[in-house]
Amino acid sequence: MHFDYSEKVKSLQRTLLEFMDEVVYPNEKTYEEQLQQAGSRWTVPSVMEEMKEQARRAGLWNLFLPDEEYGAGLTNLEYAPLCEIMGRSLIAPEVFNCSAPDTGNMEVLVRYGTREQKDKWLLPLLDGKIRSCFSMTEPDVASSDATNIEATIEREGEEYVVTGRKWWSSGAGDPRCKVAIVMGKTDPGAPRHEQQSMILVPMDAPGVRVRRMLPVFGYDHAPHGHAEIEYDRVRVPADSMLWEAGKGFAIAQGRLGPGRIHHCMRLIGAAERALEQLCKRVRRRTAFGKTLARQGVVQEWIAASRIEIEQARLLTLKAAYMMDTVGNKAAKAEIAMIKVVAPNMALRVLDRAIQALGAAGVSEDFPLASHWANARTLRLADGPDEVHQAAIAKLELRKYDDK
């Protein structure tokens, strides 16, 4: 395995780092101020659209998509260092049209969508004109086992009728969210992993009701947000089905592989920024007669953080390399491992940075607290740690089936 970055990637890295310094970081506070000043937090700050246009002009647009027809044509390994840079700011991924859940939804449409579905939904998403959400998790069942899903998708003539209650449908609070990919059961009598389907549901369809927005540790994540949505006998045309009935579980597995590793790439960037802020702070602050940087425990925090970040980055790059060379299925152990490692690593680094900054660390003057809240959700999103650990153990034990 060679993790040397090509000249193309190095050039994109330089451009992206300059863009972050000159455009994104200076506008983080502006973004939040515009949200506070708006009549409703569920509106899009004008500065976001301005930054998106600048990113497009800079050639930093849709970098996540390996499909050359629609995206930048970068491999997972090439995208990794770029996604990491975006992860340093919670608003940055959207600036480059590389934010979840749109990235995963676009990949689903590229892979499984019909020409009509792509024209209607994929192209506006690629253009950054609309946004989307992914409705899979349900409040009444343990959704870490996707076969528990109880929402129904029933065929009635030339339509499907969608009924169910979902929550943590991220992005549904955004006024630009125009479509949801909904997972539900089409055939409860089919084999366990062929009962589910995924279907495209317009957010303005009769029967779609956003019941409430769900804050995370007090953060509303407006205007993106996480919604509880009721689908009350929502009728959509039969050609809204993705791939075909019974393929929902297969689509979910294909969608979540890239989504999981993208989260890990961004978490490494969040951890890097946290360590950077820790180091800058402890060199400037003095306690008990010497700078915090000279305190032994602080030096241990810094050393441990650097070691853990490098370990997580190498495992992420290995997983990305395997996805590119042998495919997502063959790389499932590495994807599962990094999905456990990266959030836990980021939480530890962020916690040390918060501790080093003291009261400032838990304030809104620094992004550490908001990054911590986001990282903590990622021990659950796209599968909890325990599910991934169980999968890793099973794969490991299979090596000894004949011994």
Side-chain angles (χ1 to χ4, degrees):
M1 286 172 279
H2 297 282
F3 297 146
D4 293 337
Y5 300 138
S6 66
E7 286 306 314
K8 177 182 179 181
V9 172
K10 289 178 182 177
S11 176
L12 284 168
Q13 275 184 297
R14 289 191 294 269
T15 305
L16 192 52
L17 286 166
E18 289 174 7
F19 194 96
M20 294 288 288
D21 286 338
E22 296 172 7
V23 179
V24 177
Y25 298 142
N27 280 313
E28 286 178 322
K29 290 191 182 300
T30 303
Y31 180 89
E32 191 59 36
E33 287 168 359
Q34 289 185 356
L35 273 180
Q36 299 291 352
Q37 293 164 3
S40 166
R41 285 180 58 80
W42 305 100
T43 57
V44 182
S46 59
V47 70
M48 174 55 73
E49 297 304 322
E50 293 165 10
M51 288 190 290
K52 285 166 65 176
E53 188 54 40
Q54 289 176 273
R56 193 194 300 266
R57 290 199 301 267
L60 301 171
W61 194 253
N62 291 335
L63 298 176
F64 74 95
L65 200 55
D67 189 290
E68 292 187 357
E69 180 182 356
Y70 298 108
L74 298 174
T75 65
N76 287 293
L77 189 58
E78 290 174 320
Y79 179 57
L82 309 177
C83 188
E84 177 183 321
I85 294 168
M86 297 177 202
R88 293 171 64 91
S89 170
L90 289 174
I91 67 170
E94 183 184 351
V95 172
F96 308 104
N97 212 40
C98 291
S99 58
D102 294 330
T103 50
N105 290 345
M106 285 187 267
E107 287 175 343
V108 165
L109 284 163
V110 167
R111 189 178 300 183
Y112 305 110
T114 64
R115 172 51 56 190
E116 292 74 17
Q117 290 169 345
K118 290 176 181 177
D119 288 345
K120 186 173 184 179
W121 301 119
L122 175 61
L123 297 183
L125 282 166
L126 287 168
D127 202 32
K129 299 302 183 186
I130 67 170
R131 297 207 65 185
S132 61
C133 70
F134 185 63
S135 277
M136 180 176 173
T137 305
E138 297 180 4
D140 296 327
V141 296
S143 301
S144 55
D145 177 358
T147 61
N148 284 335
I149 296 302
E150 293 181 344
T152 59
I153 304 172
E154 299 175 320
R155 183 72 181 256
E156 290 188 6
E158 294 305 309
E159 293 181 318
Y160 279 103
V161 180
V162 182
T163 302
R165 190 158 62 104
K166 302 286 186 176
W167 69 345
W168 300 106
S169 295
S170 298
D174 195 309
R176 299 163 298 176
C177 183
K178 301 302 181 185
V179 65
I181 294 180
V182 182
M183 184 167 178
K185 284 189 176 177
T186 43
D187 184 1
R192 187 172 174 224
H193 293 97
E194 296 175 11
Q195 299 175 8
Q196 308 81 13
S197 301
M198 287 196 187
I199 197 163
L200 293 158
V201 177
M203 291 298 289
D204 60 0
V208 178
R209 300 186 185 92
V210 175
R211 288 300 190 187
R212 59 175 174 150
M213 302 308 298
L214 303 161
V216 177
F217 293 110
Y219 291 95
D220 62 8
H221 292 166
H224 184 65
H226 317 278
E228 180 176 331
I229 307 175
E230 180 182 356
Y231 297 93
D232 184 11
R233 291 193 58 79
V234 180
R235 292 182 173 274
V236 295
D239 61 10
S240 302
M241 181 66 69
L242 282 163
W243 194 355
E244 61 185 55
K247 298 297 187 182
F249 195 87
I251 295 172
Q253 293 307 299
R255 181 190 187 280
L256 292 173
R260 285 167 179 152
I261 198 168
H262 291 174
H263 281 313
C264 297
M265 294 167 183
R266 287 189 287 265
L267 284 165
I268 293 167
E272 282 285 10
R273 191 176 183 190
L275 180 56
E276 176 184 300
Q277 291 178 321
L278 186 164
C279 290
K280 287 180 178 178
R281 184 79 166 188
V282 299
R283 289 173 66 89
R284 295 195 303 262
R285 309 290 276 198
T286 300
F288 307 107
K290 58 183 178 181
T291 63
L292 294 179
R294 293 175 59 204
Q295 303 286 350
V297 67
V298 173
Q299 293 180 351
E300 290 175 9
W301 293 347
I302 293 169
S305 296
R306 172 49 61 206
I307 291 167
E308 290 166 10
I309 290 171
E310 295 300 328
Q311 289 174 328
R313 179 181 287 117
L314 284 170
L315 184 52
T316 300
L317 292 175
K318 182 192 177 187
Y321 171 83
M322 290 187 66
M323 290 169 72
D324 292 335
T325 55
V326 296
N328 295 1
K329 187 173 182 180
K332 60 186 176 183
E334 283 71 19
I335 295 171
M337 283 188 276
I338 191 55
K339 181 57 175 60
V340 174
V341 167
N344 284 283
M345 174 279 296
L347 286 167
R348 288 193 297 271
V349 175
L350 284 160
D351 189 69
R352 294 176 191 129
I354 290 169
Q355 195 72 7
L357 269 68
V362 298
S363 76
E364 292 301 287
D365 289 356
F366 292 85
L368 299 172
S370 55
H371 272 293
W372 190 95
N374 181 67
R376 184 60 184 84
T377 68
L378 292 174
R379 288 192 57 207
L380 297 166
D382 290 354
D385 289 359
E386 292 75 15
V387 169
H388 294 302
Q389 288 169 325
I392 295 162
K394 289 175 184 176
L395 289 168
E396 191 67 20
L397 287 166
R398 277 183 202 164
K399 298 175 183 177
Y400 301 91
D401 282 352
D402 298 325
K403 296 181 181 179

